[in-house]
Amino acid sequence: EQAASLKTLYMMSRYWLLATIVFMAAVLTACQSGPPQISIDGAKAELSPAIVGEAMVTMNIRNRGGSDVLTGVKTDIPGAKVLFHVMQGERMVSAETVRVPAKSDLKFEMGGSHIMIEDMPRTMKDGSPFKLVLVFQKSGEKMVPLSLQKAAAMPMDMEHHM
């Protein structure tokens, strides 16, 4: 009878352990899959020192919620193309989308992943205002007002590999 009680106790403890693990996994999944909480700060647009009609946009995208995906970027600059450039190992490559992990910061910065604006009209110069719109899969569109700035000197080791 004591052996049967011990076996029952053992089976119940295994059941409760499994139930606890399943519950904790559900809680962690819920935390990760909650809605994203996107904010943007430190946005800056610098004219290319070498190529007329190009600018690089840097910023910090903060996500305090669940994951999201940056699916597009657009601007109100007539005729301009806007592209994501991301680091893939040591190389800079164009990307269609950029993952925004849960509870993290995504940095677009010089020497790393950033946004490029190409084919801007010659009327766009230092001080010209424009709007950039980031398009997120879950968070929708986020408008970022910017003004073009003269480029800071680019370090000699900062080559653009495409």
Side-chain angles (χ1 to χ4, degrees):
E1 187 179 311
Q2 190 175 11
S5 291
L6 285 175
K7 186 175 181 184
T8 303
L9 184 61
Y10 173 73
M11 292 302 287
M12 287 185 70
S13 65
R14 286 186 62 194
Y15 167 79
W16 283 111
L17 178 62
L18 180 62
T20 302
I21 290 170
V22 168
F23 175 75
M24 292 304 291
V27 167
L28 288 173
T29 300
C31 289
Q32 293 295 316
S33 65
Q37 296 174 15
I38 303 289
S39 64
I40 299 159
D41 62 44
K44 187 165 79 168
E46 287 189 11
L47 290 161
S48 168
I51 303 170
V52 175
E54 282 196 7
M56 176 176 60
V57 178
T58 58
M59 68 181 67
N60 188 32
I61 299 174
R62 296 184 188 282
N63 183 5
R64 298 299 171 242
S67 66
D68 207 342
V69 178
L70 197 46
T71 59
V73 60
K74 49 193 177 180
T75 184
D76 63 349
I77 300 172
K81 292 187 300 191
V82 192
L83 309 164
F84 297 122
H85 286 181
V86 298
M87 294 302 292
Q88 208 171 58
E90 296 283 320
R91 292 186 51 81
M92 182 82 55
V93 298
S94 262
E96 294 292 317
T97 62
V98 180
R99 212 173 130 265
V100 185
K103 298 187 182 345
S104 68
D105 288 359
L106 173 62
K107 293 187 184 305
F108 284 115
E109 58 194 353
M110 181 180 281
S113 299
H114 58 270
I115 296 169
M116 282 301 296
I117 304 174
E118 300 174 349
D119 300 331
M120 292 188 301
R122 290 189 178 275
T123 55
M124 297 298 290
K125 55 187 183 292
D126 185 29
S128 294
F130 69 99
K131 293 180 184 90
L132 196 71
V133 178
L134 302 174
V135 182
F136 294 89
Q137 191 174 62
K138 296 177 187 171
S139 301
E141 295 187 351
K142 302 278 186 188
M143 198 267 295
V144 182
L146 291 158
S147 290
L148 288 172
Q149 300 176 9
K150 275 190 177 163
M154 186 179 277
M156 294 302 276
D157 64 342
M158 293 300 226
E159 294 180 37
H160 218 94
H161 299 284
M162 288 302 292

